[in-house]
């Protein structure tokens, strides 16, 4: 099978197309022939030596990637939830190696969900790590309730564009920060308000927020804390930029957390339901052939991707 390996951390030139043996599933695993994969900022950060590089540095060369959609071709003896021919999607193994930069991948059955028939492989692959991050932040960790005021930073981005839709589904009043160019997109997702972060400091025009989802880190934490009610919550996602969020928030009577998304087949099933009934949709802004992985990474590196980037086989 075709696979792309990362020989060493660094530039996109370190991603190398090669041939590998098709993997064999263990008892609790299935083998999936992939139709589409999606990549995220963590892919790019890890390739460059940041992200989860510290967790996998002793395993180089490695196959990166976590987001998949494809068809099961082989079943392990204990993976009885599925059958060959099932179309599935998931985020695999994070923060371990998902090995998804390949034509075939093995996956634990309890990380998978059936892909809805009315959702394309591209849209399903996109709705994995980013959608799972948004869902777990809003529900598992923050328990967002109807009527709460929710602020989503980078609302046009991968995590952000799912979070806006999910927060509206949960009944929240949603404010999204994004550039002026993405105003209409953010409002079409369901946001009640859009704030152009380039035109004015968001903390000067927003107040009384119950929950902030921060995918920026850095000074966005301090600035966000100014707009949150006492007893409110902030979740900050980017690693390396949010170590003090808990302490800073606590000093102000606010709950502050960092989270790391976890593979979860039950959560993926909920995302499948939301996709199937149109409650959420994936916005795929760029699609590349699998062989053009380097170009896909460079697209993410620009830092202005709207929605998600997908690669197809």
């Amino acid at each position: 099978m075709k696979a792309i390996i990362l020989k060493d951390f660094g530039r996109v030139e370190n991603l190398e197309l090669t041939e590998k043996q098709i993997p064999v599933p263990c008892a609790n695993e299935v083998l999936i022939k992939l139709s589409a994969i999606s990549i995220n900022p963590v892919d790019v950060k890890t390739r460059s030596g940041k992200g989860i590089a510290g967790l996998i540095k002793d395993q180089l060369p490695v196959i990166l990637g976590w987001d998949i959609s494809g068809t099961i071709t082989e079943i392990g003896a204990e993976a009885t939830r599925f059958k060959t021919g099932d179309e599935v999607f998931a985020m695999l193994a994070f923060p371990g190696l998902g090995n998804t930069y390949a034509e075939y991948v093995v996956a634990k059955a309890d990380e998978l969900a059936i892909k809805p028939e009315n959702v394309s492989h591209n849209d399903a692959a996109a709705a994995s790590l980013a959608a799972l991050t948004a869902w777990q932040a809003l529900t598992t960790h923050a328990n967002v309730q109807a009527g709460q005021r929710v602020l989503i930073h980078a609302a046009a981005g991968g995590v952000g564009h799912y979070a806006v839709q999910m927060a509206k589904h949960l009944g929240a009043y949603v404010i999204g920060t994004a550039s002026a160019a993405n105003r209409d997109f953010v409002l079409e997702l369901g946001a009640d308000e859009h704030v152009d972060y380039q035109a004015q400091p968001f903390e000067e025009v927003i107040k009384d927020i119950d929950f902030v989802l921060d995918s920026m880190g850095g000074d966005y934490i301090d600035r966000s804390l100014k707009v949150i009610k006492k007893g409110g919550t902030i979740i900050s996602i980017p690693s390396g930029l949010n170590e003090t969020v808990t302490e800073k928030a606590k000093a102000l009577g606010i709950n502050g957390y960092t989270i790391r998304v976890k593979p979860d087949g039950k959560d993926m099933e909920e995302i499948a339901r939301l996709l199937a009934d149109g409650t959420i949709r994936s916005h795929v802004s760029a699609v590349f052939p699998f062989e053009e992985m380097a170009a896909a990474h460079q697209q993410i590196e620009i830092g202005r991707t709207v929605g998600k980037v997908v690669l197809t086989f």
Side-chain angles (χ1 to χ4, degrees), residues 69-92:
S69 185
T71 305
I72 293 176
T73 60
E74 189 176 339
I75 300 282
E78 298 172 8
T80 54
R81 289 180 56 220
F82 300 100
K83 63 182 185 300
T84 57
D86 281 347
E87 294 185 334
V88 292
F89 73 121
M91 177 195 78
L92 303 182

Side-chain angles (χ1 to χ4, degrees), residues 231-252:
T233 300
I234 179 172
I235 288 179
S236 191
I237 297 169
S239 59
L241 298 173
N242 54 18
E243 294 90 342
T244 59
V245 63
T246 301
E247 293 78 8
K248 288 180 176 180
K250 186 177 180 180
L252 297 171

Side-chain angles (χ1 to χ4, degrees), residues 255-306:
N255 304 300
Y257 303 101
T258 62
I259 66 167
R260 177 176 279 168
V261 64
K262 297 179 179 179
D264 190 311
K266 296 295 184 184
D267 284 346
M268 289 305 305
E269 288 173 358
E270 185 60 37
I271 290 168
R273 285 190 285 272
L274 297 175
L275 287 167
D277 66 15
T279 298
I280 66 170
R281 60 181 175 84
S282 297
H283 180 83
V284 177
S285 62
V287 180
F288 294 87
F290 176 67
E291 293 81 3
E292 295 182 14
M293 180 65 73
H297 270 239
Q298 290 167 332
Q299 171 66 39
I300 294 280
E301 279 181 316
I302 293 169
R304 296 188 181 90
T305 299
V306 177

Side-chain angles (χ1 to χ4, degrees), residues 155-207:
V159 172
H161 91 288
Y162 291 117
V164 168
Q165 298 173 81
M166 291 171 176
K168 283 303 296 181
H169 166 66
L170 295 169
Y173 182 93
V174 180
I175 304 168
T177 64
S179 67
N182 290 322
R183 175 185 180 275
D184 289 348
F185 175 67
V186 170
L187 294 176
E188 287 167 4
L189 292 170
D192 298 284
E193 292 183 38
H194 162 266
V195 174
D196 178 2
Y197 70 93
Q198 296 171 324
Q200 57 198 332
F202 67 83
E203 64 271 27
E204 294 181 1
V205 294
I206 299 171
K207 62 181 180 179

